[in-house]
Amino acid sequence: MVHSLTHVVIAALLIASARAELQLTPSVVQYELDGVKLKQLAFSDGGKQVTYQAPHGWDYSGSADRLTLRPPNKLQAEAIIYKVSLQQPGSFDDATVKKLVDEMIASVPKDSTNIQIVSQEKNPLLIQRKETFLVTLTYDFYGTSYSRSTLFLNRGNEQIRFQLVCRQTDFKELQKAFMGSRYSWQNL
């Protein structure tokens, strides 16, 4: 009896935790602000709805684990919001920061050269009072210089990563738009 009750409790906890996982497949919802109708993206997170206002004019597509955003009229530019499962709730201690930076360096395209860490910053912004960590790096790939920023946000047993990759010449403008849109997350 106790053995089967244990299995029922474990199954219920697994189902509940699966339902609480953020799904990045977007749907469009409309809301009104001062008489103006606006649209934003909505995502399922268990029983609640998470909303996000993408940068103006950017195209989007998504799946359960990834949201991709593309700015208009910019070649080789893409922002990706994706999630990574964590073994346990994460923090941005020194060991974790080093691991994340090393991971970002290792993730640049094969045959990249001149890989440079431009900046590392704890809490450049808080999203729903959750701490963040931002890494920005540059690299050259077949004669073109790129910039990549990745903002990490720990959310219980998952980490949300907000990554922008583009030509260095477009980075300042696109980073400003993408970083600004991160303030629009609600219920994350």
Side-chain angles (χ1 to χ4, degrees):
M1 172 79 172
V2 172
H3 186 61
S4 58
L5 182 59
T6 302
H7 286 299
V8 169
V9 170
I10 290 171
L13 288 173
L14 288 173
I15 290 169
S17 68
R19 284 190 197 136
E21 211 173 82
L22 177 64
Q23 301 296 310
L24 291 171
T25 305
S27 61
V28 177
V29 295
Q30 194 167 302
Y31 68 102
E32 194 169 315
L33 180 65
D34 294 331
V36 177
K37 291 185 180 184
L38 303 168
K39 294 180 181 177
Q40 62 187 355
L41 302 179
F43 310 92
S44 171
D45 187 17
K48 67 180 183 179
Q49 183 180 62
V50 174
T51 58
Y52 167 65
Q53 184 69 49
H56 181 72
W58 290 34
D59 289 330
Y60 62 89
S61 62
S63 64
D65 295 328
R66 174 179 298 247
L67 176 68
T68 303
L69 302 161
R70 289 187 181 84
N73 306 315
K74 297 291 183 185
L75 299 175
Q76 300 174 346
E78 180 176 78
I80 301 170
I81 300 168
Y82 62 102
K83 59 185 184 172
V84 174
S85 294
L86 300 174
Q87 298 271 342
Q88 59 188 15
S91 67
F92 296 117
D93 58 25
D94 290 342
T96 302
V97 164
K98 180 177 178 359
K99 180 182 170 195
L100 293 172
V101 170
D102 291 345
E103 185 180 328
M104 290 300 98
I105 291 170
S107 71
V108 299
K110 184 181 176 203
D111 299 326
S112 294
T113 59
N114 301 323
I115 302 166
Q116 302 267 327
I117 297 295
V118 175
S119 65
Q120 302 175 47
E121 186 178 355
K122 285 186 181 180
N123 299 318
L125 72 129
L126 296 177
I127 299 177
Q128 298 287 286
R129 298 186 184 139
K130 294 175 179 69
E131 291 190 333
T132 59
F133 175 64
L134 176 66
V135 177
T136 304
L137 57 82
T138 59
Y139 60 92
D140 294 335
F141 186 63
Y142 290 105
T144 302
S145 297
Y146 291 91
S147 292
R148 177 189 291 172
S149 68
T150 305
L151 180 83
F152 303 87
L153 172 120
N154 292 330
R155 206 180 92 99
N157 283 357
E158 66 184 1
Q159 185 176 77
I160 310 298
R161 296 180 179 189
F162 305 82
Q163 182 172 279
L164 172 67
V165 179
C166 63
R167 294 178 181 177
Q168 278 185 19
T169 55
D170 297 326
F171 184 74
K172 187 174 181 179
E173 171 192 353
L174 297 180
Q175 176 73 343
K176 181 178 178 183
F178 187 47
M179 190 71 129
S181 76
R182 295 175 202 164
Y183 288 103
S184 72
W185 284 96
Q186 297 294 313
N187 298 322
L188 188 61

